[in-house]
Amino acid sequence: MAEIQEYIIFFLIWLISTILIRSFFKKRSYKRLPPSPLALPIIGHLHLLAPIPHQALAKLSTRYGPLIHLYLGSVPCIVASSPEVSKELLKTHESSFSDRPQTAATDYLTYGSQDFSFAPYGSYWKFMKKLCMSQLLGGQTLDLLQPVRRHEIRHLVQFLAKEAGAGKSVDVGRELIRMTNNVISRMIMSERCSGDEDEAGAVRKLIQETAELTGKFNLSDYIWFCKNLDLQGFGKRLKEVRERFDRMMEKIIDEHQIKRRKSKDDGKKGEVLRDLLDILLDIAEDGSSEIKLTRENIKAFILDLFAAGTDTSAITVEWALAELINHPNILQNAVEEIDSVIGKDRLVEESDITSLPYLQAIVKETLRLHPTGPMIVRESSEDCIIAGYDIAAKTRLFVNVWALGRDPNHWEDALEFKPHRFLSKDNGQLDVRGQHYHFLPFGTGRRGCPGTTLALQVVQATLAALIQCFDFKLDGGKNSVDMEEGPGLTLPRAYPLICIPVPRLNHTLFV
């Protein structure tokens, strides 16, 4: 019913637009803009983005070139689909493209862009970036919280072993999201938010709704005369989701502050392992801090961590496992590497990953074909010239990461799953080609993801444990996994990966 309503709205807008002039979209004579498909009045090129935007934009780039100009409603945009143009945008002209565009959903859910991911480029953003790299997501903090990640991976292995013993099939993606959600929640606030099914379902639903609302097309963001209208009913949903998140976070922060006061009174502050919320509260209470963190800043930043850290890592492991099931020879190579390095009497650890280059190559190849952030989105802060074309300030930029990884001009057999492309032919070690602009799963430059190290630790260690401990038989007697993509910000699978785990090792060794 909701989709029918949206189609009706689009039709009405198109009908009205036939009466209005197209002068708004006429190119100024003194501007040399990149190539562009024919735009419709009012809606511009929005009709060309269905059903999955990054795929649709990749098809347009094959016809119009590596840099194209679009209007999404009344919003001017450029789309980059080649490593060369992406490098010019994200490196040569990085200072011109360091802002993120604001939408009604992200602005409201993050308390007026008081988070980190969507905050305007400026003193607050720079402070939070430095804080992330030095304390919140720095090496020392990640090392101290490594036992949390190890425990949750073991918990997942034990659960799968139990289901395997009963001969039950498992929704792998669902269990991975449960695990990553627990990893993030324990790192943030020392609590498992997905401890029981009711609580787990509530947290998962909250995160899924946040991703849906921030990724779904909102007329008010793109159609100028809809700016102050709520034709799709987003406003009510946004308010309800933020209120639920706010209640959860207020309770957790209050409980944390009570524990902190008690520890301080008992003189035990140094004996308690600090989580990420403790670090944020320390800074908020520090009168000498260069930026005063408010309660809204803390809540918005935690929302960033939940939204970015839960879904993305789980989806990457799910895609990797699906590819390995469809490529049993590659899976066998990975199993043999793990068995030869780790053996069969202990569970693989994060510290072992550096000795498993083939496993690392599998993860890189998965991110190349299935980047969890298929589009890098920025906004120009000033006029500039890109690839010989004039780009005005306030132009929205989309770098199609998904298309970069499938460019046949930069990858041999670009559509095939071949992890060895990331390995050096000389010594079998991991190749540095993954740092070039044809491979940007975590973005790049100032706005690059500060959680890259954490994400790789979780993904690599989890995938290694799964293929070390289990074979996976497809439910329903299927011979291969359907690799169709679903719509969404984080490149989900169109269909869940349902498998029957078959133990390779005695899981009691890992209790």
Side-chain angles (χ1 to χ4, degrees):
M1 182 61 71
E3 291 183 358
I4 294 175
Q5 184 182 16
E6 287 187 10
Y7 283 126
I8 293 173
I9 293 172
F10 269 117
F11 175 75
L12 290 175
I13 291 173
W14 178 85
L15 188 61
I16 294 171
S17 70
T18 60
I19 305 173
L20 302 177
I21 61 174
R22 296 181 61 185
S23 61
F24 189 85
F25 294 106
K26 287 183 178 178
K27 299 175 182 178
R28 298 177 183 178
S29 58
Y30 63 92
K31 291 286 188 181
R32 182 170 181 257
L33 298 176
S36 177
L38 180 65
L40 295 178
I42 305 302
I43 67 172
H45 299 94
L46 283 170
H47 62 293
L48 299 178
L49 301 190
I52 298 179
H54 61 264
Q55 293 182 8
L57 291 173
K59 290 180 181 178
L60 288 175
S61 70
T62 62
R63 180 176 180 182
Y64 294 96
L67 184 66
I68 60 179
H69 184 269
L70 301 175
Y71 276 104
L72 302 186
S74 55
V75 179
C77 306
I78 55 173
V79 182
S81 302
S82 77
E84 294 80 13
V85 175
S86 299
K87 183 176 182 179
E88 185 173 353
L89 285 158
L90 300 176
K91 185 176 181 180
T92 306
H93 292 275
E94 181 183 16
S95 61
S96 300
F97 291 92
S98 292
D99 273 335
R100 286 202 190 275
Q102 301 298 312
T103 67
T106 56
D107 186 64
Y108 186 80
L109 291 174
T110 59
Y111 303 87
S113 300
Q114 296 196 61
D115 65 329
F116 172 67
S117 294
F118 297 98
Y121 185 73
S123 57
Y124 169 73
W125 183 88
K126 292 177 183 178
F127 173 78
M128 290 303 295
K129 175 78 170 185
K130 182 170 65 175
L131 183 62
C132 281
M133 305 309 294
S134 62
Q135 295 188 55
L136 291 166
L137 299 174
Q140 184 177 2
T141 301
L142 295 184
D143 288 344
L144 289 173
L145 294 172
Q146 192 272 338
V148 169
R149 302 190 293 276
R150 181 199 304 127
H151 178 269
E152 292 301 331
I153 291 174
R154 288 175 177 268
H155 191 274
L156 174 64
V157 168
Q158 292 163 16
F159 172 81
L160 293 178
K162 179 181 177 182
E163 299 300 286
K168 294 182 179 179
S169 60
V170 175
D171 183 338
V172 176
R174 179 183 178 184
E175 297 309 320
L176 286 169
I177 288 178
R178 189 201 304 271
M179 185 210 76
T180 54
N181 182 230
N182 281 329
V183 167
I184 296 300
S185 61
R186 288 183 64 186
M187 288 182 65
I188 292 173
M189 48 203 173
S190 304
E191 295 182 12
R192 298 181 87 231
C193 278
S194 296
D196 59 72
E197 187 53 37
D198 290 340
E199 192 175 9
V203 174
R204 282 198 302 269
K205 184 178 179 182
L206 181 62
I207 294 170
Q208 289 168 355
E209 287 180 313
T210 299
E212 178 189 350
L213 288 169
T214 54
K216 198 170 183 179
F217 173 79
N218 189 345
L219 285 171
S220 65
D221 290 326
Y222 297 98
I223 309 297
W224 61 271
F225 60 79
C226 296
K227 186 173 181 62
N228 296 318
L229 303 176
D230 188 20
L231 299 176
Q232 296 159 279
F234 272 36
K236 181 179 179 181
R237 292 188 62 195
L238 285 169
K239 183 178 179 181
E240 191 270 335
V241 168
R242 198 179 80 171
E243 285 179 351
R244 281 162 46 207
F245 175 77
D246 201 74
R247 286 195 298 270
M248 180 181 78
M249 286 311 308
E250 286 291 338
K251 178 183 176 183
I252 291 168
I253 291 175
D254 287 343
E255 291 175 349
H256 246 67
Q257 289 180 322
I258 292 172
K259 291 179 181 178
R260 287 162 60 85
R261 284 194 293 269
K262 187 175 186 303
S263 296
K264 185 177 181 180
D265 292 342
D266 294 342
K268 297 180 180 180
K269 183 177 180 181
E271 301 175 16
V272 180
L273 178 63
R274 296 196 312 159
D275 52 36
L276 301 186
L277 181 52
D278 280 317
I279 296 174
L280 289 169
L281 289 172
D282 282 346
I283 296 168
E285 295 167 3
D286 182 3
S288 62
S289 176
E290 61 182 278
I291 296 289
K292 178 66 175 178
L293 289 185
T294 67
R295 208 171 177 95
E296 282 69 30
N297 290 143
I298 293 174
K299 290 185 289 188
F301 182 76
I302 289 176
L303 180 63
D304 279 352
L305 291 177
F306 267 119
T310 296
D311 212 21
T312 53
S313 297
I315 287 174
T316 300
V317 177
E318 189 181 13
W319 277 117
L321 194 58
E323 289 284 7
L324 291 175
I325 292 172
N326 282 351
H327 298 85
N329 58 321
I330 296 176
L331 173 59
Q332 184 58 34
N333 290 340
V335 170
E336 290 175 359
E337 179 185 60
I338 292 173
D339 285 349
S340 65
V341 173
I342 310 303
K344 299 183 178 182
D345 58 353
R346 70 176 180 89
L347 188 63
V348 62
E349 300 276 355
E350 284 183 8
S351 58
D352 298 315
I353 299 302
T354 55
S355 302
L356 302 172
Y358 194 70
L359 176 85
Q360 295 178 67
I362 287 173
V363 171
K364 280 203 167 189
E365 180 70 344
T366 300
L367 289 167
R368 180 184 74 84
L369 286 173
H370 313 286
T372 49
M375 305 280 283
I376 296 174
V377 185
R378 305 278 179 85
E379 186 174 87
S380 59
S381 55
E382 58 188 6
D383 294 350
C384 55
I385 297 176
I386 303 295
Y389 296 107
D390 297 304
I391 308 300
K394 296 298 181 183
T395 297
R396 194 163 298 186
L397 164 66
F398 296 93
V399 174
N400 195 340
V401 176
W402 184 86
L404 297 179
R406 295 165 181 260
D407 185 352
N409 296 320
H410 295 273
W411 294 99
E412 178 188 0
D413 303 321
L415 297 181
E416 296 185 27
F417 186 76
K418 291 187 174 182
H420 69 263
R421 75 175 81 242
F422 282 102
L423 295 173
S424 169
K425 294 180 181 179
D426 297 331
N427 54 20
Q429 295 301 303
L430 203 65
D431 198 333
V432 297
R433 285 183 297 168
Q435 302 301 317
H436 295 176
Y437 283 80
H438 48 264
F439 181 77
L440 299 174
F442 299 104
T444 186
R446 300 169 189 171
R447 283 282 188 176
C449 176
T452 299
T453 300
L454 172 61
L456 288 175
Q457 286 176 332
V458 172
V459 169
Q460 292 172 160
T462 304
L463 180 64
L466 291 180
I467 62 180
Q468 178 191 27
C469 298
F470 303 98
D471 292 318
F472 290 91
K473 184 169 65 175
L474 293 177
D475 191 34
K478 297 178 182 178
N479 295 321
S480 63
V481 180
D482 189 311
M483 303 300 282
E484 183 178 345
E485 298 172 353
L489 282 178
T490 52
L491 200 69
R493 290 176 44 77
Y495 307 103
L497 180 61
I498 309 296
C499 297
I500 301 173
V502 180
R504 290 188 64 250
L505 305 176
N506 184 353
H507 77 280
T508 58
L509 296 171
F510 311 133
V511 176

